[in-house]
Amino acid sequence: MNYQQAKVRADILKALAHPVRILIVNALSGGDRCVCELAPLVDIDQSGLSRHLAILKRVGVVTERRDGNKVIHHLQTPCILRAFECAVEVLRSDIERKNLHLKAI
Amino acid sequence: MNYQQAKVRADILKALAHPVRILIVNALSGGDRCVCELAPLVDIDQSGLSRHLAILKRVGVVTERRDGNKVIHHLQTPCILRAFECAVEVLRSDIERKNLHLKAI
DNA sequence: TGACAATATGCACATACTTGCATATAGTGC
DNA sequence: GCACTATATGCAAGTATGTGCATATTGTCA
């Protein structure tokens, strides 16, 4: 793998690597939502939420369509939920390993 | 999912979301390496490489053991390679979708 | 057209991340 | 102990990211 290939991967992961954006993706995995439905789930200013959504849209993880004066957001690539599962696996593995060290004391 | 749960996931993904760290993980997926073996693969200062490794170790993705005066690094949770594949899927899906739009013109 | 709801953007500030340089620490072999 | 190799850390500067506030834009409905 060369630097450019690593960079495009990093850009996608970076777009996912924020608690608010993870909450957004998680919510969208349960179905399409407009901004006003997402707002109560994330403790953040409306403009901030709009910006986080823009980041997810820029990398193509989320897409949008208009419905009246609402913009409906859609999780375009649900495969990224696997990246979250993978993060959980890392956590679990790390805790297990530390427990082992603890027992060894 | 609550904010705290999203945050721990974000911290793991953030640790992966850098081109140099992706190159490191990619190299380690082929077997354990010391810093001196990784250095030529990533175009960065030795101290910078050391810092990137520290970030990966902090979240438990990479572990280390000493061998003489070398520190050997080990990819503790190879499952994160799936996160990279997932990033590639996002890219591919995005390109396909844009191609469709192109054809529609 | 005007009032209103939903969403996006400009700006300014704070915080976090990355990097190189110099220097410190840890281990090896003489 | 000394010279040497491998790796880590303090510091300072540059860059990027996240946030709230105010304001702009887009669409609806009367």
Side-chain angles (χ1 to χ4, degrees):
Chain A
M1 196 188 299
N2 63 33
Y3 190 86
Q4 187 53 33
Q5 291 171 320
K7 177 153 175 31
V8 292
R9 285 160 178 76
D11 287 341
I12 307 261
L13 292 180
K14 205 160 22 168
L16 296 174
H18 188 285
V20 168
R21 297 197 286 272
I22 288 179
L23 287 175
I24 291 172
V25 167
N26 187 251
L28 292 182
S29 74
D32 296 0
R33 304 266 191 281
C34 65
V35 185
C36 54
E37 287 171 309
L38 293 170
L41 303 176
V42 297
D43 184 27
I44 198 180
D45 182 54
Q46 173 267 324
S47 71
L49 176 50
S50 174
R51 275 179 233 269
H52 283 299
L53 280 166
I55 290 170
L56 290 170
K57 283 183 269 187
R58 192 175 342 128
V59 294
V61 168
V62 166
T63 52
E64 63 170 38
R65 69 188 142 85
R66 276 218 163 249
D67 179 19
N69 57 354
K70 294 186 183 177
V71 178
I72 312 291
H73 292 270
H74 169 73
L75 182 55
Q76 183 70 25
T77 55
C79 64
I80 56 154
L81 295 170
R82 287 211 308 275
F84 298 169
E85 290 165 20
C86 156
V88 175
E89 256 185 79
V90 171
L91 278 171
R92 185 162 34 226
S93 142
D94 196 40
I95 289 170
E96 272 173 24
R97 198 154 27 78
K98 281 173 183 163
N99 276 345
L100 275 182
H101 290 169
L102 213 61
K103 284 178 190 164
I105 295 175
Chain B
M1 196 189 296
N2 62 32
Y3 190 88
Q4 187 52 32
Q5 291 171 320
K7 175 149 177 32
V8 291
R9 285 160 178 75
D11 286 341
I12 308 261
L13 292 179
K14 201 158 28 169
L16 296 174
H18 188 285
V20 167
R21 296 196 287 272
I22 289 180
L23 286 176
I24 291 172
V25 167
N26 187 250
L28 292 181
S29 73
D32 297 359
R33 303 266 192 279
C34 64
V35 186
C36 54
E37 287 170 310
L38 293 171
L41 302 176
V42 297
D43 184 28
I44 197 180
D45 182 54
Q46 173 267 324
S47 71
L49 176 51
S50 175
R51 274 179 234 270
H52 282 299
L53 281 166
I55 291 170
L56 291 170
K57 283 184 269 187
R58 194 178 336 130
V59 295
V61 168
V62 166
T63 53
E64 63 170 37
R65 70 188 143 83
R66 275 220 164 246
D67 180 18
N69 58 353
K70 295 186 183 178
V71 178
I72 311 291
H73 292 270
H74 169 73
L75 182 55
Q76 184 69 26
T77 54
C79 63
I80 57 154
L81 295 170
R82 287 212 308 275
F84 298 169
E85 291 165 20
C86 155
V88 174
E89 257 185 78
V90 170
L91 278 171
R92 185 161 35 225
S93 141
D94 195 42
I95 289 169
E96 273 174 23
R97 199 153 28 77
K98 281 173 183 161
N99 276 346
L100 274 183
H101 290 168
L102 213 62
K103 283 179 190 164
I105 296 175

